[in-house]
Amino acid sequence: MRLLALLFLVLLGLGCGDDDSLSNGVVPTGPPLNNVDPEVLWTDFGTRGSVDGSSKSPDGFAKCGLGDIRTDDLGTMTSTEVPDGTWNALVPDEPARCGDDFETTIWRLMNCERITLNTAPVACDQRLVWLGRQHSQDMIDRDYFDHVSPEGETPFQRMDERGIQWRGAGENIALNPTADGAHLSWMDSSGHRSNILGNYTHASCGGIENLYTTAFYR
């Protein structure tokens, strides 16, 4: 599967084609960030925004890289946990964390981009981490790369089936050897970037091996 994933990486240009982002409608820009203390942002989200505002990706749309987020508490810890049953209540993670070390990296980078553009950060919901892991694992196990499963199940149906209530939702997927590489490729793609910066209140990533699924909702 890793060899096939790397082949996909080449064919899809780091997983940044517009066919691997999905939302259930127009995604307006998120609400403004109203004079929040940068130290509070660092404590709660692991970032204060871009340090210098310079471009970090080939096409220049990403303003945040690893140097713009907290990384001293990140290593190589991974998890494949996905609880059974339905998840009717929001499940937060620890402050400034959202999933394992790689998933947390993507969540912090997303919020770095939002904060840099004076947009309110998205909160972590562990249910989206579990949902992302579940879909990433399914794509690996059955050797496909799509938002929609071979049976036709969409991201929105997956949320509904797990008890997640939403008014607007989206999903990004990527095949990339690194978490920050996945983020940079998403930022250089209009559809993915729209989800990352969009009018959502919660977003979280679930990654298995080098396949990342990030879900968004409000």
Side-chain angles (χ1 to χ4, degrees), residues 34-35 61 67 73 85 87 121 133 138 147 184:
N34 295 317
N35 299 318
F61 288 99
D73 61 335
W87 316 318
R133 290 174 183 170
D138 187 56
H147 297 286
L184 296 179

Side-chain angles (χ1 to χ4, degrees), residues 2 15 20 78 100-106 132-133 135-137 139-140 145 147 171-183 185-186 192 204-215:
R2 283 188 180 276
D20 58 9
T78 62
D100 67 27
D101 289 346
F102 299 101
E103 295 158 347
T104 294
T105 295
I106 285 181
R133 290 174 183 170
H135 186 55
S136 294
Q137 187 67 64
M139 288 189 284
I140 291 171
F145 183 69
H147 297 286
E171 182 181 86
N172 289 350
I173 59 175
L175 285 161
N176 202 289
T178 66
D180 58 311
H183 170 77
S185 68
W186 282 334
H192 301 94
S204 307
C205 177
I208 301 292
E209 296 182 9
N210 57 356
L211 211 164
Y212 300 94
T213 301
T214 297

Side-chain angles (χ1 to χ4, degrees), residues 39-68:
E39 295 312 307
V40 172
L41 293 172
W42 184 260
T43 299
D44 291 348
F45 298 98
T47 181
R48 303 181 184 91
S50 177
V51 173
D52 56 14
S54 64
S55 298
K56 305 297 195 307
S57 59
D59 291 344
F61 288 99
K63 304 302 181 184
C64 294
L66 293 178
D68 300 296

